[in-house]
Amino acid sequence: QVQLVESGGGLVQPGGSLRLSCAASGSISSIYNMGWYRQAPGKQRELVAGITRGGSTDYADSVKGRFAISGDNAKNTVFLQMNSLKPEDTAVYYCTAESRGYHYWGQGTRVTVSS
């Protein structure tokens, strides 16, 4: 019922910034929460940031103060602004949407932080 498309990943130097975007389509009105997860090789997928339709946010301790999640309800889009990037931020980042107790997933966008 929900389709998610991420964009904005790429290669960036340590200390640099990237902004990821996630556009949702389908049964948009049913979504009450969206967010970003990431998964590095050999690591478990972890929650990076989440946001409710009302604007409440939540962050992993590892990204607090560096990342910011925001949403544009009119455009059905969620963003992840990533600043002061570190090599350990390298991962595939996945957009999620929660609707009726089910998590939908995007295809992922790769972020590589390297000099």
Side-chain angles (χ1 to χ4, degrees), residues 43-83:
K43 305 290 186 179
Q44 293 190 129
R45 187 172 298 186
E46 64 174 343
L47 175 67
V48 176
I51 187 168
T52 68
R53 185 173 291 275
S56 179
T57 59
D58 182 55
Y59 297 93
D61 288 341
S62 60
V63 306
K64 287 181 179 177
R66 299 189 298 121
F67 292 8
I69 189 170
S70 61
D72 186 337
N73 287 329
K75 296 182 178 180
N76 302 315
T77 301
V78 168
F79 305 95
L80 184 67
Q81 179 67 45
M82 304 185 294
N83 300 321

Side-chain angles (χ1 to χ4, degrees), residues 3-7 20-24 34-36 75-80 94-97 106:
Q3 296 81 45
L4 305 171
V5 179
E6 303 103 327
S7 62
L20 306 183
S21 299
C22 175
M34 294 185 69
W36 293 92
K75 296 182 178 180
N76 302 315
T77 301
V78 168
F79 305 95
L80 184 67
Y94 296 91
C95 180
T96 71

